Amino acid sequence: MPPAAEASLAIEAQFRRYGPAYRWLVTAGGLLGAVSMVLSATMVNVAVPSIMGAFGIGQDLAQWGATAFLATMVASQLLSAWTVEAFGQRTTFCVSLANFTLGALICAAAPSMEMLIVGRILQGFSAGLIQPVVMATVVAVFPVERRGMAVGIYSLGVTLAPSFGPWVGGLAIDAMNWRQIFIVPLPLVAVAFLMGLMFMPSKKLSPRLPSFDWAGFALVALALFCVMSAIGNGHRWGWSSDRTALFFLTGFVAAALFVTLQLRARRPLLDVSLFADLRFTSAMCIAFAFGAGNFATNYAIPVFMQTVQGFTATQAGLVLVPAGVLLVMLTPVVGRMADTLPAHYPLMAGCVLFSVAAWLMSDADVNTAFWTFAGFTILSRVALGMVMPNLGKVAMSSAPGDKLNQAAGTYNFIRQMGGAFGVNLTAVAIDMRTARHADLLAATQTPGNAQSTELLARIAELLHRSGVPDAALQTGALDHLSRVVYAQALALGFQDAFFFTCFAFVLAFVPAWLLGRAGRGGKAVAAGGSLM
């Protein structure tokens, strides 16, 4: 029996058992599992400063807690369809939740950054498997005429979770410690696991596993690992070092071999033939940029507010919440507009708005008010709300009718890959530019600098009044000055990273404009306007 027919019979059996309420029961259980994982993806962002202190590492290494999760999630999405065909939705869902829980426990007890990264890899692998399973199940249990609403319900959950993740993580850190943020989602995971055992469609295991392009999967995983490792470590290894060159070369060769295999495969993991259409290629460029911008700002904003502005973890996470709520309210409105307006107009407007928001962030410093920065994030999420429904429409309408599933998979893969690269590149940019500014500022701290000399004298006087021995006054004053210099350099490093994001979206305007040149997209499929 074909897998699709077997899955349909399993769903019919569940309807006979639970009645019409089944579609809402399985939707609630599936969403609970998916949302808990998406929540975990962004909760760790507010813990970066605490992780740096706990392990005595820099921000460039601490960010791998987020990057490892995202990169593994990207790769494992390509494995999701095979696991469902081989083991069924129920087994895939429940095993993924169990694996996610194992990863959370490893992270919570990690004695080193390396072990924490191992735990995040396990969690990211589970998140990549479970999200397509939940989306496909939710769509399958609703009738055709209500599938647009079904995708909208799924999108609402996975869109809102990233905005609340840093805030929930901040509450956990301020109330307990950073290790507890990995435990917080587990009660939701436990409930989802029980609901999955009851309501997810099951499948009889076949003695023979279906075929799978393991070579292609290994190549794409190798390419992601090598390129992202080279980017993340290049400034420490040396950009011109043999090690960096070897990682980049291996990654690019693996990516080229992957594309070659996919062009020849009967059942490709990623249908690269879709990129022959200029509209689809332009949409994927924009999807990569907005995936990068969304995840990069979700990462950088909480870290900036804690390390530069001195906010608590809860306050740093809270700054993203108003923007997330507005995004959820805006998405249905823009989704309806996507059926009437040519897609390239809101896409171009979204690129401009996001670049303006990033440009405003690039001027923020220690004195920028909380609600001012919240306003910048709201502007960036308005841009996101304008882009995503229209991007889903273009991606689906530019694909042939028999390749809609492949188009949806490619769209989600590219967007999530953009997120992984966005976090990695942003963290590296902050670290490198901070070091550069620190060197430049340190070079100005000479005996001829009247402001620095006056500051040293004032600090020495304050230390003397506090009872510090005279022999330690100069050392204490110089230590304070070095901290001031580093704090200023860190603020400038974040400003540069936000400006680079602004510049990237100026470039993203080009493929948005090319969509208009390529002609208007076709009509959106039923769920096209709601894809997130």
Side-chain angles (χ1 to χ4, degrees):
M1 182 182 296
E6 188 176 358
S8 179
L9 289 175
I11 291 174
E12 290 177 10
Q14 293 289 74
F15 268 109
R16 288 194 297 270
R17 183 175 183 180
Y18 296 105
Y22 169 69
R23 62 172 53 95
W24 297 109
L25 293 171
V26 73
T27 297
L31 271 180
L32 201 58
V35 166
S36 63
M37 292 187 177
V38 177
L39 198 69
S40 180
T42 54
M43 283 175 64
V44 74
N45 294 343
V46 293
V48 169
S50 300
I51 292 173
M52 291 165 58
F55 296 132
I57 58 177
Q59 183 262 154
D60 60 320
L61 288 178
Q63 61 85 22
W64 275 98
T67 301
F69 185 102
L70 293 172
T72 314
M73 182 173 68
V74 170
S76 64
Q77 282 187 354
L78 300 177
L79 192 60
S80 180
W82 180 83
T83 59
V84 170
E85 185 178 350
F87 308 109
Q89 288 142 301
R90 179 181 297 176
T91 301
T92 300
F93 183 81
C94 292
V95 171
S96 296
L97 290 175
N99 189 64
F100 181 87
T101 302
L102 175 62
L105 296 175
I106 291 174
C107 290
S112 65
M113 188 62 201
E114 290 76 15
M115 188 57 67
L116 189 144
I117 290 173
V118 169
R120 292 298 280 174
I121 287 173
L122 290 175
Q123 290 190 303
F125 188 84
S126 299
L129 287 178
I130 211 169
Q131 290 183 57
V133 173
V134 172
M135 184 175 181
T137 303
V138 169
V139 170
V141 298
F142 281 86
V144 175
E145 65 273 11
R146 298 176 67 189
R147 285 182 178 174
M149 181 194 71
V151 176
I153 293 172
Y154 172 83
S155 300
L156 182 65
V158 298
T159 301
L160 197 58
S163 297
F164 279 87
W167 179 50
V168 175
L171 289 173
I173 292 173
D174 289 339
M176 295 170 284
N177 62 64
W178 67 269
R179 294 183 181 275
Q180 305 307 314
I181 66 171
F182 300 106
I183 305 299
V184 167
L186 295 189
L188 296 179
V189 171
V191 175
F193 182 86
L194 294 175
M195 295 184 74
L197 286 177
M198 295 173 63
F199 305 124
M200 274 287 171
S202 61
K203 176 186 184 299
K204 291 183 179 179
L205 295 181
S206 172
R208 294 184 61 186
L209 294 176
S211 62
F212 182 72
D213 185 6
W214 290 107
F217 182 75
L219 285 170
V220 75
L222 178 63
L224 284 170
F225 170 76
C226 288
V227 174
M228 296 193 70
S229 294
I231 293 172
N233 297 294
H235 62 298
R236 289 185 292 110
W237 295 345
W239 292 109
S240 59
S241 69
D242 292 342
R243 188 176 183 183
T244 302
L246 178 62
F247 269 73
F248 271 126
L249 180 62
T250 303
F252 291 142
V253 170
L257 289 174
F258 171 73
V259 172
T260 303
L261 282 179
Q262 299 312 292
L263 287 171
R264 299 175 179 177
R266 291 186 194 175
R267 298 175 60 184
L269 296 175
L270 205 66
D271 194 341
V272 294
S273 67
L274 292 168
F275 288 87
D277 190 304
L278 178 60
R279 292 176 300 159
F280 187 85
T281 301
S282 299
M284 292 306 100
C285 291
I286 302 169
F288 185 92
F290 268 86
N294 184 26
F295 282 98
T297 51
N298 273 341
Y299 167 80
I301 288 172
V303 179
F304 172 84
M305 298 196 74
Q306 289 180 86
T307 58
V308 174
Q309 296 191 308
F311 284 116
T312 66
T314 301
Q315 291 170 324
L318 188 61
V319 75
L320 295 168
V321 172
V325 173
L326 180 64
L327 176 60
V328 170
M329 296 170 60
L330 183 66
T331 298
V333 177
V334 177
R336 287 193 291 270
M337 292 174 59
D339 292 329
T340 58
L341 287 176
H344 62 283
Y345 289 128
L347 290 176
M348 288 190 294
C351 289
V352 171
L353 279 180
F354 208 109
S355 63
V356 169
W359 178 73
L360 292 172
M361 291 179 194
S362 72
D363 196 43
D365 56 24
V366 68
N367 298 312
T368 303
F370 176 89
W371 284 109
T372 300
F373 212 101
F376 300 160
T377 64
I378 287 173
L379 185 60
S380 69
R381 270 41 184 183
V382 169
L384 198 65
M386 294 179 66
V387 165
M388 286 307 178
N390 289 281
L391 204 55
K393 169 188 172 181
V394 173
M396 302 303 287
S397 62
S398 60
D402 60 339
K403 292 188 175 183
L404 292 181
N405 288 333
Q406 292 91 326
T410 303
Y411 168 69
N412 281 294
F413 176 82
I414 295 294
R415 183 170 59 86
Q416 298 283 9
M417 184 169 65
F421 275 95
V423 172
N424 203 3
L425 288 168
T426 298
V428 171
I430 293 169
D431 196 61
M432 292 182 62
R433 296 304 298 171
T434 297
R436 175 63 175 165
H437 286 296
D439 289 341
L440 294 174
L441 291 172
T444 67
Q445 308 308 305
T446 64
N449 188 323
Q451 291 181 333
S452 296
T453 303
E454 183 180 353
L455 176 62
L456 286 172
R458 289 181 179 179
I459 297 302
E461 182 181 352
L462 289 173
L463 292 174
H464 179 70
R465 291 178 183 177
S466 301
V468 175
D470 291 343
L473 292 180
Q474 185 177 9
T475 302
L478 288 172
D479 179 70
H480 178 80
L481 178 61
S482 68
R483 292 174 183 270
V484 171
V485 168
Y486 177 76
Q488 182 63 26
L490 185 62
L492 293 172
F494 272 96
Q495 289 178 356
D496 288 350
F498 287 129
F499 181 77
F500 294 153
T501 303
C502 167
F503 182 72
F505 277 93
V506 171
L507 295 179
F509 183 87
V510 175
W513 175 76
L514 286 175
L515 278 173
R517 299 280 294 178
R520 296 186 178 186
K523 294 182 180 181
V525 295
S530 300
L531 283 173
M532 291 296 295

